[in-house]
């Protein structure tokens, strides 16, 4: 393998964890679950067809689509052929609104395909060097790379799992792939989704579809596996009756892998399952069975703490992150979660507590709730139990540790070492930024915030961690940092009022600070006031309004000549622009270059400024744009 091979792979898609995710899924698949999909006539035609081959497989949540995707990939890679295979596992709940939302997916595909060359051709390596690590999808360099890669295979198979995309996004994605993958490569695309394909795609591509539902054999395998029934000798004195009961239950599962309870007495479990399935309407079956699956935790030694860990994992998954076991262990004391006698949980403890409910990566110990239905139930319960509020307070306490009092790290290497010592730090920083506006009563975290904001070291440490690459493991962090160093890309010299303005939804903190005598005109290292910071928040104007009502100078100028208005017209929202004008901001003082940028990016703001008499089409602006 060439010395620069790993470098090329990381440059194509730094930090990509697709291979690891696929390995985990392959390891967890049970028996022959999903094999029926491989035997389906449409699947076989998709595999063996020539030219462009499309297949859309859809079904409700928890019908085994992701495991089927991994099964298809393993099947294709087991065949001796000159085919390239790539898979993308999208996160549930993160929709693809336009083709740009497929950008990371396309980068991951290119990395996976190049990794399948035993000896990558020199032209591919050279072309990959010309591409940026975070290349745009429509660039000529990337298109040439795609053609070189795919032309080296007889056929290319791409699997998109858990697609939840708008009609326009799917159309543009298929058009992009069809345009940029070499025509002689025999492109095969499989999409799995909870939704049927849009009708326009059916007409445009004559798109074959398969409805995914677990068959009786798969459901029987699943029940036996979930109940730890390894053989008929363990079933009961009357194994035939148990199998009869299982058959009755399978008929009521509606082809869905519902969460199942696990008790010592199999017959009791089956009786309870049959009662729930026969009496509950389809809409409430997942919730009721999720409650049953978790019911035994009430009597377990660490049961309540296990529930809290699952809520923590679910909340982080909702934000788009999958925590590792060390990260979970690191935050538990700050959530007040201990073993008996205030002893801290270890990684082994957490693995044992959650083993039934989570999927665990062997290489990074990344956690993910295995059942999508159970995940949804836990997330709903987390909302009821104020998990986000508890996490926000814990994050603030975490960020106020003595180890962070010296402020930001002075190198990427030292920041990585800090992340190794404090693995939850990146998540704590993101929780503070995201949750303040999402909890119903942020004032309950006021004391924690005031303690955190009382020291510049805590603030700088937080800002650095919030802007740095999320830490998962050394290899992915190093790849990301080598592609784009972010350890130093954070605002320096923020005071307590600046950080309160930086946090979306931090109005309650701003009021408390100002009532305590904080200077509303306090400046950061580059001369910005808190109003400058608040003006750049895109979807929220309440923070800026609070500062203005407390007397903030609407015309304050920072060291770069920026005013709150010049920041708002480019980075903020229309409501903030209107608010600043209402409080006396001078639209005539906007610099020509700012107006040009606004004209290119913010049509709503352009229309508003034009209505105020600002001419964005005069000769000066045209020259500036040229």
């Amino acid at each position: 393998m060439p010395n620069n091979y790993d470098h090329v792979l990381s440059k194509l898609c730094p930090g990509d964890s697709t291979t690891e995710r696929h390995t985990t899924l392959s390891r967890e698949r049970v028996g022959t679950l999903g094999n029926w999909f491989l035997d389906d006539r449409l699947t076989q035609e998709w595999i063996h067809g020539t030219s462009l081959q499309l297949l859309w497989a859809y079904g409700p949540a928890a019908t085994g689509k992701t495991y089927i995707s991994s099964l298809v990939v393993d099947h294709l890679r087991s065949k001796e052929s000159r085919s390239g295979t790539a898979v993308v596992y999208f996160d549930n709940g993160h929709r693809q609104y336009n083709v740009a939302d497929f950008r990371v997916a396309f980068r991951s595909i290119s990395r996976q395909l190049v990794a399948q060359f035993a000896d990558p051709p020199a032209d591919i390596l050279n072309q990959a060097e010309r591409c940026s690590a975070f290349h745009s999808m429509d660039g000529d360099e990337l298109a040439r790379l795609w053609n070189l890669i795919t032309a080296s295979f007889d056929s290319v198979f791409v699997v998109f799992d858990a697609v939840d995309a708008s009609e326009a996004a799917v159309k543009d994605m298929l058009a992009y792939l069809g345009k940029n993958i070499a025509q002689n490569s025999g492109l095969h695309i499989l999409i799995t989704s909870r939704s049927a394909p849009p009708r326009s795609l059916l007409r445009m591509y004559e798109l074959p579809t398969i409805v995914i539902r677990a068959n009786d054999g798969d459901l029987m395998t699943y029940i036996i596996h979930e109940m730890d029934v390894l053989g008929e000798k363990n079933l009961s004195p009357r194994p035939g009756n148990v199998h009869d009961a299982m058959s009755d239950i399978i008929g009521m599962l509606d082809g869905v892998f519902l969460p199942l309870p696990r008790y010592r007495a199999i017959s009791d479990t089956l009786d309870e399952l049959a009662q729930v399935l026969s009496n509950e309407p389809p809409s409430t079956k997942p919730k009721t069975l999720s409650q049953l699956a978790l019911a035994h935790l009430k009597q377990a030694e660490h049961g309540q703490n296990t529930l809290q860990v699952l809520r923590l994992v679910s909340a982080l998954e909702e934000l788009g992150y999958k925590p590792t076991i060390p990260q979970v262990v690191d935050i538990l004391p700050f959530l007040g979660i201990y073993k008996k006698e205030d002893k801290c949980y270890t990684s082994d403890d957490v693995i044992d507590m959650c083993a039934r409910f989570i999927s665990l990566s062997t290489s990074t110990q990344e956690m993910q709730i295995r059942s999508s239905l159970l995940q949804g139930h836990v997330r709903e319960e987390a909302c009821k139990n104020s998990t986000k509020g508890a996490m926000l307070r814990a994050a603030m306490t975490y960020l106020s540790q003595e180890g962070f009092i010296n402020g930001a790290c002075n190198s990427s290497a030292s920041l990585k070492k800090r992340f190794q010592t404090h693995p939850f730090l990146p998540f704590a920083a993101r929780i503070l930024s995201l949750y303040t506006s999402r909890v119903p009563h942020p004032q309950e975290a006021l004391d924690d915030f005031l303690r955190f904001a009382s020291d510049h070291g805590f603030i700088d440490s937080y800002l650095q961690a919030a802007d740095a690459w999320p830490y998962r493991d050394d290899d992915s962090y190093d790849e990301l940092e080598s592609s784009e160093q972010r350890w130093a890309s954070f605002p320096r010299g923020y005071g307590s009022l600046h950080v309160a303005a930086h946090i979306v939804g931090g109005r309650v903190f701003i009021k408390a600070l100002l009532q305590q005598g904080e200077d509303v005109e306090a400046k950061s290292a580059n001369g910005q006031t808190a109003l400058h910071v608040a003006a750049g928040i895109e979807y929220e104007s309440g923070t800026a309004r609070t500062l203005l009502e407390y007397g903030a100078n609407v015309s304050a100028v920072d060291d770069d000549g920026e005013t709150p208005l010049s920041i708002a017209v480019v980075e903020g929202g229309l409501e903030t622009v209107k608010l600043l004008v209402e409080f006396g901001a001078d639209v005539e003082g906007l610099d020509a270059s700012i107006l040009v940028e606004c004209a290119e990016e913010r049509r709503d703001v352009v229309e508003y400024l034009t209505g105020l008499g600002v001419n964005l089409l005069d000769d000066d602006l045209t020259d500036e744009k040229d």
Side-chain angles (χ1 to χ4, degrees), residues 463-469 481 484-492:
L463 291 169
Q464 183 181 54
D467 279 346
W469 292 110
E481 266 295 295
E484 181 184 299
Q485 284 203 335
R486 290 173 61 171
W487 67 271
S489 60
F490 64 97
R492 296 176 182 272

Side-chain angles (χ1 to χ4, degrees), residues 97-408:
Y97 293 97
N98 51 55
V99 71
D101 291 328
F102 286 91
R103 181 173 296 167
V104 175
F106 292 154
R107 296 204 305 263
S108 174
I109 292 167
S110 63
R111 174 171 177 153
Q112 292 177 63
L113 291 175
V114 171
Q116 290 166 48
F117 291 114
D119 185 13
D123 55 352
I124 289 179
L125 294 176
N126 293 334
Q127 183 63 36
E129 283 288 354
R130 297 190 186 99
C131 293
S132 165
F134 304 100
H135 44 252
S136 63
M137 295 182 304
D138 53 358
D140 291 338
E141 298 292 349
L142 179 60
R144 280 193 285 270
L145 176 63
W146 274 74
N147 271 284
L148 287 172
I149 293 172
T150 55
S152 300
F153 293 104
D154 289 340
S155 54
V156 173
F157 294 86
V158 180
V159 179
F160 292 103
D161 177 69
V163 168
D164 182 16
S166 67
E167 182 173 345
V170 176
K171 283 183 178 179
D172 289 345
M173 179 270 288
L174 292 175
Y176 174 81
L177 288 176
K179 174 183 176 183
N180 289 301
I181 288 186
Q183 295 302 308
N184 62 348
S185 63
L187 176 61
H188 304 245
I189 300 175
L190 167 64
I191 294 175
T192 70
S193 175
R194 292 182 183 178
S195 305
R199 291 185 178 180
S200 60
L201 284 181
L202 291 172
R203 293 192 299 269
M204 184 181 301
Y205 292 104
E206 298 183 357
L207 183 63
T209 60
I210 297 178
V211 177
I212 293 185
R213 287 276 184 171
N215 61 25
D216 289 356
D218 282 354
L219 290 171
M220 179 67 80
T221 299
Y222 170 69
I223 292 173
I224 292 174
H225 177 265
E226 287 299 289
M227 294 184 180
D228 278 346
V229 183
L230 302 178
E232 290 197 353
K233 64 180 181 181
N234 295 322
L235 292 177
S236 77
R238 295 174 296 171
N241 291 347
V242 170
H243 275 294
D244 290 343
M246 284 186 178
S247 298
D248 292 339
I249 288 169
I250 286 169
M252 294 183 283
L253 286 175
D254 302 324
V256 175
F257 296 103
L258 293 171
L260 299 178
R262 183 189 295 180
Y263 302 114
R264 288 183 179 177
I266 298 298
S267 57
D268 292 343
T269 303
L270 296 177
D271 288 344
E272 193 164 16
L273 274 174
Q275 183 176 359
V276 170
L277 291 170
S278 59
N279 295 325
E280 291 282 336
S283 60
T284 60
K285 282 181 184 179
K287 178 179 179 179
T288 304
L289 284 177
S290 294
Q291 291 171 335
L292 280 177
L294 298 171
H296 78 283
L297 293 176
K298 294 180 180 179
Q299 288 76 42
E301 181 180 1
H302 303 286
Q304 289 302 316
N305 288 344
T306 301
L307 283 174
Q308 292 200 61
V309 170
L310 293 176
R311 289 169 185 162
L312 167 65
V313 173
S314 175
L316 291 171
E317 286 182 333
E318 188 177 13
L319 295 179
Y321 303 113
K322 297 178 181 62
T324 64
I325 294 289
Q327 287 168 338
V328 169
V329 169
D330 191 32
I331 192 59
L332 291 184
F334 296 89
L335 288 165
I337 302 175
Y338 294 94
K339 290 196 292 188
K340 291 181 179 178
E341 301 174 354
D342 290 339
K343 291 183 179 179
C344 291
Y345 281 103
T346 66
S347 293
D348 288 341
D349 292 330
V350 173
I351 292 172
D352 290 341
M353 290 161 55
C354 302
R356 275 204 54 214
F357 307 105
I358 63 167
S359 171
L360 184 64
S361 163
T362 54
S363 58
T364 64
Q365 293 195 306
E366 202 170 62
M367 303 172 70
Q368 184 172 1
I369 295 179
R370 183 179 288 116
S371 166
S372 59
L373 296 177
L374 185 62
Q375 180 191 55
H377 172 72
V378 171
R379 188 170 296 169
E380 182 180 330
E381 290 299 303
C383 292
K384 293 179 182 178
N385 287 276
S386 304
T387 298
K388 290 180 180 177
M391 288 176 63
L392 177 61
R393 294 191 297 273
M396 290 182 180
T397 304
Y398 186 98
L399 293 166
S400 306
Q401 293 181 75
E402 185 177 347
F404 306 141
I405 204 164
N406 291 327

Side-chain angles (χ1 to χ4, degrees), residues 457-599:
F458 296 152
I459 293 173
D460 281 350
S461 174
Y462 149 70
L463 291 169
Q464 183 181 54
D467 279 346
W469 292 110
Y471 183 83
R472 185 172 59 98
D473 62 272
D474 289 350
D475 290 342
S476 64
Y477 182 81
D478 289 344
E479 282 191 4
L480 290 164
E481 266 295 295
S482 64
S483 301
E484 181 184 299
Q485 284 203 335
R486 290 173 61 171
W487 67 271
S489 60
F490 64 97
R492 296 176 182 272
Y494 270 17
S496 55
L497 199 61
H498 294 91
V499 78
H502 172 82
I503 299 169
V504 179
R507 296 187 300 278
V508 65
F509 306 146
I510 288 174
K511 289 180 179 179
L513 289 168
L514 292 173
Q515 289 167 2
Q516 290 180 3
E518 194 73 29
D519 181 8
V520 74
E521 295 303 313
K523 294 189 175 183
S524 66
N526 66 345
Q528 288 194 341
T529 65
L531 186 58
H532 282 93
V533 178
I537 301 175
E538 186 172 2
Y539 299 110
E540 197 255 10
S541 61
T543 302
R545 178 175 290 280
T546 300
L547 289 164
L548 289 165
E549 289 174 347
Y550 273 83
N553 180 9
V554 74
S555 302
V557 181
D558 68 14
D559 294 348
D560 297 319
E562 298 279 8
T563 64
L565 182 61
S566 69
I567 292 174
V569 297
V570 176
E571 300 177 18
L574 176 60
E575 292 305 312
T576 302
V577 173
K578 290 180 177 180
L579 177 68
L580 293 169
V581 173
E582 175 190 336
F583 274 80
D586 180 18
V587 295
E588 298 297 331
L590 289 171
D591 185 81
S593 62
I594 295 294
L595 292 175
V596 169
E597 192 171 353
C598 175

